[in-house]
Amino acid sequence: MLLSELKKNASKALKIGFELPNGKLVPSHFHVTEVGLSTKRFIDCGGQKRIKETIVLQLWSANDYNHRLHPEKLVEILTLSERELQLPDLEVEVEYQGETINIYNLGHNGKYFTLTAQLTDCLAKDACGIDERQTTPLIKAASDPCIPGNGCC
């Protein structure tokens, strides 16, 4: 979801909710603790230099259970960040505390903002000699790395 889409969806909302990949909601007393521009400069396994830029929205929950971030306040935070940091209209990623800091893609299902898992991928499959037809997502590897056919054994 682009920053402009986040602002548009938030401005139409009656209340703000973020749904985790497991279907549970981020506690309603969350705070937005950071909005920023993240720039990642790297070289892929094929030797190509790359740059990836995203807007990062960090959510945090404390023990102030009566706190609620209203939609107009979220839009205000995003507009201020956009102006002061001169943020371009890029994809938004969300950081939220799990066992470690988890980074999610952001979507919207008509009711809540949805946090979806990010996956790794090889950006230079042709340089690695990997046949696209033989690749299998490694989603299963998180629970059991030795499941036949998951491509990691």
Side-chain angles (χ1 to χ4, degrees):
M1 172 180 294
L2 295 173
L3 178 59
S4 60
E5 295 171 301
L6 171 57
K7 288 172 57 179
K8 180 180 174 183
N9 284 318
S11 68
K12 293 189 292 185
L14 297 176
K15 64 180 186 174
I16 301 293
F18 288 90
E19 185 177 320
L20 294 160
N22 65 7
K24 293 183 180 180
L25 292 176
V26 169
S28 57
H29 58 278
F30 74 89
H31 293 254
V32 172
T33 55
E34 294 179 13
V35 177
L37 176 65
S38 175
T39 303
K40 179 180 175 181
R41 296 172 170 266
F42 60 101
I43 295 177
D44 67 26
C45 60
Q48 176 150 354
K49 291 191 293 186
R50 296 183 184 259
I51 297 174
K52 177 185 175 191
E53 289 191 316
T54 56
I55 304 298
V56 178
L57 180 70
Q58 187 179 82
L59 306 180
W60 177 70
S61 297
N63 59 1
D64 57 340
Y65 300 106
N66 294 323
H67 176 270
R68 297 293 182 274
L69 181 65
H70 296 281
E72 62 276 4
K73 182 63 175 176
L74 177 57
V75 172
E76 184 182 312
I77 291 167
L78 295 170
T79 300
L80 174 66
S81 301
E82 188 175 30
R83 183 181 67 239
E84 293 298 317
L85 299 174
Q86 300 177 352
L87 297 176
D89 193 24
L90 297 173
E91 289 291 322
V92 177
E93 294 179 334
V94 176
E95 293 180 348
Y96 184 66
Q97 187 71 42
E99 288 183 28
T100 183
I101 297 174
N102 294 325
I103 301 173
Y104 299 99
N105 291 323
L106 183 64
H108 195 267
N109 65 12
K111 183 175 182 181
Y112 298 119
F113 290 100
T114 56
L115 305 181
T116 57
Q118 293 187 354
L119 303 174
T120 60
D121 193 9
C122 176
L123 300 175
K125 289 179 182 76
D126 57 331
C128 293
I130 297 172
D131 184 343
E132 290 277 346
R133 297 169 294 172
Q134 295 176 346
T135 60
T136 303
L138 298 179
I139 277 183
K140 298 175 190 172
S143 61
D144 184 356
C146 292
I147 295 172
N150 75 355
C152 66
C153 296

